[in-house]
Amino acid sequence: MGPSTSRATIEGVSVRVFRTTTRLVTDSDGHAHPGERHTVTRALLTLTDSEGVTGRCLAAEADLGEAQVAGHLRPVLLGRDPSERAALWQELARRQRGSAGTLRDRTLAAVEQALWDLLGHRLGQPVWRLLGGMRDRVPAYGSTMCGDEVPGGLATPEDYAAFAEKLVADGYHAVKLHTWMPPVPFAPSVDMDIRACAAVREAVGPDVPLMLDAHHWYSRADALRLGRALDRLGFLWYEEPMEEYSTQSYRWLADQLDTLVIGPESVEGRLHARAEWIAAGACDILRVGVPTSGGIDPALKSVHLAEAFGMECELHGGGAGTLALLGAVPNSRWYERGLLHPHYDFDEVPPHLTRAADPLDAEGCVRLREEPGLGESYDLDHIEAETVRQW
Ligand code: XYH
Ligand code: MG
């Protein structure tokens, strides 16, 4: 019997909010740091089609709330063909302007990735192969947490040097430092950043690619002074030292440095904002995130945009959706594995998963999985048993 030609439709859009545990704590600016194990909640979106096939994606409860689901997701998705992902995404995106900020790109990203996951399960294929199947593993760089004042943590340049040495010994092909950022309880400084970068370069030697993600709020003068130090230290890229809403400041900076300037990571505007950054000459490498830019397809548009200008586009953060995209494109080099810290076991599998999505292999790469869908492995028994509310 040939493949099914029946057109399934989406019959279920549900969210479970469940308890899980973590040792990550976030400061008032949202930066992650190691802490004591504690209970948190996460939200799991499940789309179910008329033949019982499901697609899932994790997100924060704030992005999968009852109002978003009842007010936007169900009205758009129920009864529709899940293979019409582009049309469904566009309809949700058009609702954002009038949603008073309650329908964020992170919500669209959760829906879009769940639609991809469902398609993969329907076709019995991993999403990275459906996207094009460019490569089955991706070299990883170790992305540190932001600086802190934790003894033996990331409190001194020597801490960063020792940790970078360990990450290289663990197999990472490159290391990105997030140095000290507000609201750390002392004034971050260019001099401290330079000392940390110099200590790391000294520790790992001249050939390991290094990147710096610094401060986010430096002035042009401070960002330039720090960038010139990176030129001397032979860093690969320089990320978000200033407010990313000023493309002219980034053009001014990029024009004066040898170190490649990468961005934008944090601005709204998806493909359009990134087209403006390239047109303004504000970056040498483009940057985009799957969860923060509305999903895999919208992020892929930015990757293709960069390719048209002979540029690389590096993906922000990790996870199954990011890995699927990295498995399908020629101009993204790295998987950002992290955030990492000397006092945090990044490899510990959280209670709601049965395995990690992105284990580092013996060659310092993350392999793409062959299971159908996005390749995430949820512990559905845990999620059901620990459900605190659902809609
Ligand atoms: O902690 O602000 C931060 C970092 O910006 C981190 O959250 C983010 O993952 C990043 O910048 N990655 O490059
Ligand atoms: Mg960053």
Side-chain angles (χ1 to χ4, degrees):
M1 190 167 112
S4 161
T5 56
S6 65
R7 304 302 315 167
T9 55
I10 297 170
E11 301 301 318
V13 178
S14 62
V15 172
R16 278 182 180 275
V17 177
F18 62 90
R19 284 184 297 262
T20 188
T21 64
T22 181
R23 286 195 51 238
L24 285 180
V25 295
T26 52
D27 61 34
S28 57
D29 278 23
H31 304 312
H33 301 281
E36 293 305 315
R37 184 176 304 287
H38 59 286
T39 298
V40 294
T41 58
R42 295 297 308 278
L44 181 66
L45 170 68
T46 299
L47 303 182
T48 307
D49 78 10
S50 47
E51 293 172 3
V53 182
T54 59
R56 292 186 169 96
C57 187
L58 277 176
E61 181 178 359
D63 292 313
L64 289 174
E66 204 160 1
Q68 286 113 323
V69 173
H72 298 292
L73 273 54
R74 288 197 181 113
V76 168
L77 298 172
L78 288 179
R80 299 289 293 275
D81 183 332
S83 67
E84 294 172 359
R85 192 180 56 257
L88 297 171
W89 187 91
Q90 197 71 44
E91 288 180 39
L92 285 171
R94 291 290 162 84
R95 286 170 169 252
Q96 286 184 294
R97 187 174 181 283
S99 75
T102 61
L103 191 59
R104 302 196 315 158
D105 283 351
R106 287 181 181 272
T107 304
L108 270 60
V111 172
E112 197 260 1
Q113 291 175 87
L115 287 168
W116 265 118
D117 191 44
L118 191 154
L119 182 64
H121 284 108
R122 278 190 69 81
L123 300 176
Q125 289 293 328
V127 171
W128 67 276
R129 288 190 181 280
L130 295 174
L131 282 163
M134 186 80 198
R135 51 186 172 171
D136 65 2
R137 60 183 185 157
V138 188
Y141 70 84
S143 188
T144 76
M145 288 186 193
C146 295
D148 52 37
E149 46 175 8
V150 176
L154 295 172
T156 67
E158 295 70 27
D159 286 343
Y160 274 98
F163 192 44
E165 234 174 343
K166 178 191 182 301
L167 295 179
V168 171
D170 287 350
Y172 287 98
H173 291 269
V175 177
K176 181 164 86 175
L177 291 73
H178 288 100
T179 41
W180 298 271
M181 303 184 187
V184 72
F186 52 82
S189 76
V190 168
D191 291 326
M192 275 278 279
D193 289 347
I194 293 173
R195 284 202 294 273
C197 293
V200 168
R201 174 53 78 204
E202 175 70 26
V204 302
D207 301 325
V208 174
L210 297 175
M211 307 81 132
L212 173 65
D213 190 330
H215 198 279
H216 303 353
W217 316 107
Y218 277 140
S219 68
R220 286 193 182 193
D222 281 345
L224 180 60
R225 185 160 71 89
L226 179 52
R228 289 209 166 118
L230 301 185
D231 285 353
R232 294 192 296 273
L233 294 167
F235 269 51
L236 171 62
W237 84 51
Y238 185 24
E239 182 176 337
E240 204 176 353
M242 300 181 291
E243 173 64 74
E244 287 192 325
Y245 284 108
S246 175
T247 53
Q248 290 312 307
S249 296
Y250 275 90
R251 181 195 53 74
W252 175 88
L253 184 69
D255 284 350
Q256 300 187 74
L257 295 177
D258 296 327
T259 306
L260 299 174
V261 171
I262 184 173
E265 173 173 309
S266 60
V267 296
E268 299 291 321
R270 301 191 290 257
L271 173 75
H272 305 87
R274 285 159 179 82
E276 294 301 325
W277 265 62
I278 291 176
C283 59
D284 304 299
I285 304 173
L286 199 62
R287 187 159 180 73
V288 73
V290 168
T292 51
S293 288
I296 292 169
D297 294 340
L300 180 57
K301 290 180 179 180
S302 288
V303 176
H304 286 166
L305 173 69
E307 186 179 6
F309 286 87
M311 296 170 73
E312 276 139 8
C313 181
E314 296 301 338
L315 299 193
H316 170 204
T322 300
L323 272 172
L325 183 49
L326 284 168
V329 295
N331 59 317
S332 299
R333 284 195 187 190
W334 301 98
Y335 178 74
E336 178 175 16
R337 196 164 190 266
L339 298 173
L340 309 172
H341 189 282
H343 298 343
Y344 178 68
D345 178 6
F346 183 80
D347 291 302
E348 179 187 296
V349 179
H352 60 277
L353 298 179
T354 63
R355 56 165 166 74
D358 61 358
L360 196 69
D361 72 8
E363 287 78 42
C365 293
V366 176
R367 289 184 178 276
L368 296 161
R369 303 196 65 90
E370 293 294 348
E371 291 93 341
L374 283 174
E376 198 69 277
S377 178
Y378 300 106
D379 184 333
L380 295 176
D381 293 338
H382 168 93
I383 291 171
E384 186 170 344
E386 295 298 321
T387 293
V388 292
R389 45 191 168 274
Q390 55 185 309
W391 42 81

